[in-house]
Amino acid sequence: MGADAVELLVPAADGQTRTVRVTSPDRVYFPETGLTKLDLAHYYQSVGEPITRALRTRPCMLHRFPKGTAEKKVHQKKLPAGAPDWIETVDVYFPRYSRTVHELCVTEPAAVLWAVQMATVEFHPWNSRRAGTAPPSPGIEFPDEWRIDLDPMPDCDFPKVRRTAHIVHEVLDELGITGYPKTSGGHGLHVYVRIEPEWGFADVRRAAHAFGAEVARRSAGEATVTWWRKDRDPSSVFVDFNQNARDHTMAAAYSVRATPRATVSTPIRWDEIGDVEPDDFTVATVPDRLARLGDLHETIDDVAHRLDTLLEWDDRDTLDNR
């Protein structure tokens, strides 16, 4: 019989450490690979610094699997009960429900490990931050991250996603914008761009739509921004601009996904896209990759870009479609 609990020491500020207690460490979370809750905790411990960077001070929805990934998933916006006093939160108002929810707001690696103790497998942050953070943010209503989601439709193969990603890179280069690609952990690719937090969600979504429309125009029919799923070519790549709407979240860089092989949403270089296979990046392989290459998203906060040109494109497209 295994241990009832394991205590992990996690680095904190000022050279201190925190102790995170992981109960039921031998519970199998990924039946196909036999990965346990403790294996998952050890993985997140190994990527503590870069995933904290990806999540830092963002409202974070948790995908929890109390009985493992083969069983029912819990989408958790509200901070789970029993959090220690050092866990930080951010208040998020949901107009649809006329209520305010305290969401997890990661500021240190121990918060990630505590969420794993609470059966979290996937971390899905907002593309905005709470106010008064570094880098500076006016608050969660003003995104500082524009997300490009290349989402393959059911009959779309991955080479088509690769070709679309190359077009994304081409258009970003023409705009003078630096994008940071990563695998989704599924069969798509994501590209993240830091932006000045001057626009609300509606404008960021408009800019994302204009960009996606340009990518689609250059793709010879392989990519689309068609809104209704029933109207999309099932072999196309959907450039999902709606991932920039308020309260829409995507798996963070270094987040595990609840797939049979425990894949990980992993930062990649642009020059890797031609050869990358998303299933290569798993809980078993990513720590070694991180040790070799470092965090490929480490400089993502260095430069924030503007959306003026993309918003002009959206105005132009709107006029052209009248």
Side-chain angles (χ1 to χ4, degrees):
M1 182 179 293
D4 292 333
V6 173
E7 292 187 342
L8 301 179
L9 297 179
V10 186
D14 302 323
Q16 303 298 308
T17 59
R18 296 199 191 279
T19 300
V20 178
R21 190 168 184 266
V22 178
T23 60
S24 303
D26 298 325
R27 178 172 293 159
V28 174
Y29 269 31
F30 293 85
E32 184 172 299
T33 62
L35 285 168
T36 65
K37 184 179 183 181
L38 185 60
D39 292 328
L40 185 67
H42 282 153
Y43 164 78
Y44 276 116
Q45 195 172 22
S46 74
V47 299
E49 182 179 339
I51 195 170
T52 297
R53 183 180 298 113
L55 298 172
R56 190 176 301 280
T57 62
R58 300 184 185 280
C60 187
M61 182 169 71
L62 308 176
H63 288 196
R64 298 174 57 234
F65 294 82
K67 296 183 179 180
T69 57
E71 301 296 332
K72 186 177 179 181
K73 173 169 62 175
V74 177
H75 289 89
Q76 187 97 30
K77 294 183 179 181
K78 183 180 179 181
L79 185 76
D85 58 9
W86 49 266
I87 291 287
E88 298 192 33
T89 62
V90 58
D91 290 347
V92 180
Y93 178 68
F94 293 96
R96 179 180 178 183
Y97 306 106
S98 299
R99 62 181 297 202
T100 297
V101 170
H102 307 304
E103 287 201 24
L104 176 67
C105 196
V106 169
T107 58
E108 58 177 296
V112 176
L113 269 295
W114 176 81
V116 172
Q117 156 57 16
M118 301 305 292
T120 300
V121 172
E122 301 187 12
F123 292 82
H124 289 243
W126 283 42
N127 61 339
S128 60
R129 306 179 195 256
R130 71 182 184 190
T133 62
S137 170
I140 64 170
E141 301 303 331
F142 295 90
D144 73 334
E145 189 167 76
W146 157 33
R147 296 172 173 177
I148 302 165
D149 179 16
L150 304 183
D151 182 14
M153 294 296 96
D155 299 332
C156 176
D157 59 20
F158 196 70
K160 193 175 292 185
V161 179
R162 291 193 185 103
R163 291 192 292 272
T164 304
H166 287 310
I167 298 171
V168 166
H169 194 196
E170 173 186 285
V171 179
L172 288 175
D173 276 353
E174 291 174 11
L175 290 165
I177 290 175
T178 301
Y180 288 79
K182 67 183 182 72
T183 64
S184 68
H187 295 102
L189 291 172
H190 300 158
V191 181
Y192 284 3
V193 175
R194 284 292 182 269
I195 58 175
E196 296 287 355
E198 296 184 12
W199 296 274
F201 291 100
D203 281 338
V204 176
R205 182 179 180 276
R206 281 203 304 125
H209 180 272
F211 180 87
E214 181 61 23
V215 170
R217 276 191 286 268
R218 300 187 190 194
S219 74
E222 291 193 333
T224 183
V225 287
T226 298
W227 175 242
W228 296 109
R229 187 180 184 92
K230 64 181 178 62
D231 296 330
R232 292 180 210 144
D233 180 343
S235 69
S236 66
V237 179
F238 178 42
V239 186
D240 189 356
F241 57 93
N242 204 50
Q243 292 291 6
N244 295 279
R246 189 182 191 272
D247 191 32
H248 282 231
T249 61
M250 294 165 63
Y254 300 100
S255 175
V256 180
R257 305 305 304 273
T259 60
R261 295 187 64 245
T263 52
V264 173
S265 182
T266 306
I268 57 176
R269 300 187 306 263
W270 284 108
D271 63 8
E272 292 183 285
I273 284 175
D275 300 312
V276 71
E277 294 290 346
D279 282 353
D280 290 342
F281 303 108
T282 69
V283 165
T285 64
V286 168
D288 286 344
R289 175 182 168 86
L290 177 63
R292 284 188 292 109
L293 301 179
D295 179 14
L296 298 180
H297 284 194
E298 184 174 5
T299 60
I300 195 169
D301 288 318
D302 288 359
V303 177
H305 298 281
R306 298 192 59 80
L307 297 178
D308 305 81
T309 299
L310 291 173
L311 291 171
E312 290 170 5
W313 288 5
D314 182 72
D315 291 338
R316 175 203 65 195
D317 292 347
T318 300
L319 287 172
D320 289 346
N321 290 328
R322 281 182 177 176

